[in-house]
Amino acid sequence: MVDLVNTFVCGWPIEHSRSPIIHNYWIKRYGLRGKYEKLPVSPDDLTEFINCLPEGIYLGGNVTIPHKEKAYELIENLDPVAKKLGAVNTIWVSNQKIYGANTDGYGFLANLDQGVPDWDNENRKFQPVVILGAGGAARAIVDAAQSRGFSNIKIVNRTLSRAENLAIFFGEGVSAHCWEELPNLMEATGLIVNTTSLGMAGNHPLDIDLNILTKDCLVSDIVYVPLQTKFLQQAAERGLKTVDGLGMLLHQAVPGFEKWYGVKPEVSDELRALVISDLKETK
Ligand code: ATR
């Protein structure tokens, strides 16, 4: 029998992915054999790629944009979160069967747990959460917040219908709002998260007046290029606690690595510094 040790991330395009830096760092750090590879897989080739995994050369891997929803359709054995969200980002092969999971919400929560321990305290759970954006990342984050007991979630999106679709999907306690409602919503919120692509290098910044937020509001961005977005910078200038987006990327990688290699890896300062230096180099 062939001894499988390699893993992958597939996407289209895939060149920008930082996942190989993360997983190859851990492979080395824990003295394991194997290599985590970047695989460009086009939408036309995804079905064959996934269906051939049981006979292939990989232990498993990650699936990224634009394949997360299609991977969900192709994989039968799904963890409850992937099943609910309709998207897969982590795959493993066992006994000729393909398994899929979604670890984005886990990554979001673990990042906040590491950055602001006790962020999900009882006081904050009573306050509304404001989520900016209504794409796949927002879906994973709403689900994650609900799993920690947050029961009042406001989704604010440029295209109201997308926010409404998410609100219907999640049901009670989740509502949809247009951008103009933001100042009112911000007054009472205990956690505000940007899941839009605003603020990402090359895009317009997310520029909203944060003076309305109370001093205890926690501010998070899933954008990590740049690491310190204007949104986070403005929050920090106001003295608010902030959590940047890089940690979500690092933490969402943990469950996959553990499945493939049997070691729960640490999201250390050294790893964070390594990825930050790569982000600087390629800017
Ligand atoms: P993902 O699946 O990664 O979350 P997505 O589905 O492309 O990505 O969602 C991107 C989010 O950024 C959406 O909420 C999008 O708003 P629309 O639904 O109205 O498109 C938001 N977004 C992108 N550019 C924006 C802009 N210039 N102003 C406001 N919102 C923007």
Side-chain angles (χ1 to χ4, degrees), residues 122-142:
E122 291 306 313
N123 282 345
R124 193 168 277 124
K125 276 181 195 167
F126 280 114
Q127 298 174 297
V129 175
V130 171
I131 306 286
L132 306 173
R139 182 179 291 247
I141 288 171
V142 171

Side-chain angles (χ1 to χ4, degrees), residues 19-254:
S19 292
I21 300 175
I22 301 168
H23 289 285
N24 286 320
Y25 167 85
W26 283 332
I27 287 172
K28 198 167 156 212
R29 162 83 180 71
Y30 295 103
L32 302 165
R33 282 194 311 125
K35 188 167 184 253
Y36 182 97
E37 299 169 9
K38 234 187 253 186
L39 303 179
V41 174
S42 77
D44 285 346
D45 293 336
L46 185 71
T47 304
E48 194 187 347
F49 175 75
I50 290 195
N51 289 339
C52 292
L53 283 173
E55 289 80 42
I57 57 166
Y58 294 105
L59 281 170
N62 290 118
V63 183
T64 188
I65 294 165
H67 299 326
K68 291 183 184 185
E69 285 81 15
K70 181 74 181 170
Y72 159 82
E73 287 169 22
L74 293 167
I75 297 173
E76 260 176 52
N77 309 291
L78 298 166
D79 83 327
V81 179
K83 207 177 257 182
K84 180 172 178 192
L85 300 181
V88 162
N89 74 341
T90 303
I91 295 179
W92 63 99
V93 180
S94 175
N95 292 327
Q96 299 285 301
K97 282 194 183 143
I98 312 169
Y99 294 81
N102 189 311
T103 67
D104 287 332
Y106 167 89
F108 171 76
L109 295 175
N111 185 30
L112 292 188
D113 288 342
Q114 191 173 41
V116 185
D118 197 37
W119 68 274
D120 58 346
N121 59 47
E122 291 306 313
N123 282 345
R124 193 168 277 124
K125 276 181 195 167
F126 280 114
Q127 298 174 297
V129 175
V130 171
I131 306 286
L132 306 173
R139 182 179 291 247
I141 288 171
V142 171
D143 182 58
Q146 281 191 328
S147 77
R148 285 288 177 95
F150 289 84
S151 55
N152 185 359
I153 301 176
K154 316 283 189 193
I155 303 174
V156 178
N157 199 46
R158 175 180 61 181
T159 311
L160 182 62
S161 59
R162 288 188 85 195
E164 284 169 343
N165 286 342
L166 268 196
I168 291 166
F169 176 82
F170 285 102
E172 207 187 316
V174 182
S175 53
H177 305 268
C178 60
W179 214 256
E180 287 68 35
E181 291 179 71
L182 197 47
N184 278 343
L185 298 172
M186 280 164 61
E187 252 170 359
T189 188
L191 170 65
I192 180 166
V193 185
N194 175 42
T195 77
T196 74
S197 46
L198 288 170
M200 208 179 269
N203 285 3
H204 291 293
L206 172 58
D207 193 4
I208 48 181
D209 183 1
L210 300 183
N211 283 313
I212 305 156
L213 296 172
T214 65
K215 65 175 184 10
D216 296 324
C217 183
L218 176 57
V219 180
S220 184
D221 202 331
I222 71 161
V223 171
Y224 59 87
V225 182
L227 201 54
Q228 179 79 329
T229 58
K230 181 166 186 185
F231 179 56
L232 291 184
Q233 199 182 323
Q234 285 177 330
E237 279 163 11
R238 265 220 55 204
L240 305 176
K241 282 195 177 137
T242 63
V243 177
D244 67 50
L246 180 56
M248 179 170 166
L249 175 78
L250 301 177
H251 283 283
Q252 62 77 34
V254 168

